[in-house]
Amino acid sequence: MTEVREVIIIGSGPAGLTAAIYTARAQLNPLVIEGAPSSTSDQPGGQLMLTTEVENYPGFPEGIQGPELMANFRAQAERFGAEFITDKVTRVDFSDTPFGVWIGDDEYRAKSVIVSTGARSLMLGLEAESRLLGHGVSTCATCDGFFFRGQHIGVVGGGDSAMEEALFLTRFADKVTVIHRRDELRASKIMQERARNNPKIEFLWNATVSDLLGAEKLEGVEVRDTVTGERRVLPLTGLFVAIGHRPNTELFEGQLDLMDNGYLMTFDDRSKTSVDGVFACGDVQDDWYRQAITAAGSGCMAAIDAERWLEAQEG
């Protein structure tokens, strides 16, 4: 008979690890399945493992490296008794209780589950991209814009997110070049107007990024004209990829209600999902803020929601 846990947490970014800290302190003995090191979609520690300097997380006036911050989160959860499995969940069954979670053929059961599998930024698919991520290439202007003061940087994309990134980056950069594969933007009219009216923003139409230059940091961006095929190098020292995000929800299709954009649906301004006893937190259900601090806060919420739900079941 498989042991039935009080709570299983799937995912180990700021949301999942905060949920682990709170549930462990509540004596719920959480099992955290933190993801597989080789997986880009649900690696242990989440997206902060790809971030070098984190300067906007409260409590670290000099900043902290993303992996170090996540290691601190994990150590704190372990201190209170959270148990970790470093592997990838392959299947779940939320149709009946206790809920089932599988890693290959290994089955785990729990009275409650907290989903914190996060989201991943859509990337360009270039060979140099992973090497230069955090070294001139970024997916988050609010996280990294501060490091590009006085520089000429680029933003890839044509939607509202790309315009928001470009506008935010004008606070720091001397010039921002928006690189878009079409000759018109997908962004809303108001966002287009704001970007077009900003003297620091210029547009490069009908262009895609074909290569990233630099061994240890970004030194230039090669772009290809989608009409003529001509290639040229832009002297950019920063490039922000803003072509969208994809929540890691494939595992839960048919099990939990999703929003139209694929994010998990939560209810009553809390972490409740469409299945009683299953909770969600962090970027897997947050399509708006997508910050480490808001993810951690929602992890706290999910832990408290799960604890109170378990108490109600017993009472």
Side-chain angles (χ1 to χ4, degrees):
M1 186 71 181
T2 303
E3 176 190 359
V4 178
R5 301 263 182 168
E6 294 294 311
V7 60
I8 288 176
I9 300 170
I10 306 174
S12 63
L17 292 177
T18 301
I21 291 167
Y22 272 78
T23 52
R25 291 187 76 249
Q27 303 295 309
L28 296 179
N29 302 315
L31 173 65
V32 183
I33 305 176
E34 61 179 345
S38 60
S39 172
T40 56
S41 63
D42 62 351
Q43 63 178 348
Q47 292 185 83
L48 278 189
M49 298 300 287
L50 304 175
T51 304
T52 49
E53 194 79 14
V54 179
E55 288 198 327
N56 58 0
Y57 200 90
F60 299 93
E62 302 301 320
I64 186 172
Q65 297 288 307
E68 182 185 358
L69 180 61
M70 288 298 89
N72 289 346
F73 271 52
R74 192 184 193 277
Q76 193 169 355
E78 278 189 307
R79 176 190 162 206
F80 293 118
E83 183 182 343
F84 287 83
I85 295 177
T86 306
D87 214 328
K88 183 180 174 70
V89 174
T90 53
R91 181 166 68 94
V92 297
D93 183 4
F94 297 154
S95 62
D96 198 7
T97 55
F99 303 118
V101 177
W102 282 264
I103 299 172
D105 294 331
D106 295 333
E107 176 185 350
Y108 300 87
R109 292 277 172 179
K111 298 174 184 176
S112 66
V113 173
I114 295 175
V115 175
S116 57
T117 49
R120 58 192 182 275
S121 298
L122 298 179
M123 302 301 288
L124 301 171
L126 299 172
E127 186 180 350
E129 204 166 26
S130 59
R131 182 181 79 247
L132 294 173
L133 194 62
H135 301 279
V137 177
S138 175
T139 60
C140 179
T142 53
C143 307
D144 300 328
F146 181 78
F147 302 113
F148 295 89
R149 286 168 294 177
Q151 299 182 35
H152 180 191
I153 57 182
V155 173
V156 184
D160 277 357
S161 293
M163 296 309 102
E164 288 170 8
E165 299 271 278
L167 286 162
F168 180 82
L169 290 166
T170 60
R171 301 181 189 184
F172 312 102
D174 278 352
K175 184 162 74 169
V176 177
T177 298
V178 175
I179 304 167
H180 188 41
R181 59 183 176 176
R182 300 187 180 93
D183 59 2
E184 59 182 27
L185 298 170
R186 294 179 290 107
S188 59
K189 282 190 166 48
I190 188 168
M191 292 304 297
Q192 289 193 42
E193 284 179 17
R194 287 176 183 170
R196 291 178 190 275
N197 291 335
N198 191 303
K200 285 189 174 184
I201 296 177
E202 66 174 18
F203 294 87
L204 182 59
W205 304 108
N206 298 315
T208 59
V209 176
S210 50
D211 200 5
L212 303 173
L213 310 179
E216 296 182 0
K217 65 178 183 177
L218 185 70
E219 296 173 357
V221 173
E222 182 188 84
V223 294
R224 184 181 71 86
D225 189 302
T226 59
V227 178
T228 66
E230 178 189 355
R231 296 173 188 259
R232 64 188 175 107
V233 174
L234 304 179
L236 305 179
T237 50
L239 185 71
F240 289 78
V241 181
I243 56 176
H245 290 80
R246 181 173 296 150
N248 298 318
T249 52
E250 296 88 348
L251 194 63
F252 311 107
E253 291 174 2
Q255 301 274 342
L256 300 172
D257 286 355
L258 307 179
M259 293 188 279
D260 291 341
N261 58 7
Y263 285 76
L264 282 183
M265 198 174 285
T266 49
F267 301 90
D268 302 334
D269 291 326
R270 291 179 15 211
S271 65
K272 293 164 53 179
T273 69
S274 56
V275 173
D276 206 25
V278 178
F279 306 88
C281 54
D283 286 8
V284 74
Q285 54 85 46
D286 173 18
D287 64 347
W288 188 255
Y289 297 104
R290 294 195 296 261
Q291 298 294 306
I293 187 66
T294 50
S298 70
C300 164
M301 292 164 60
I304 292 172
D305 287 345
E307 180 186 1
R308 290 176 178 171
W309 182 85
L310 287 165
E311 285 177 354
Q313 303 309 300
E314 292 173 3

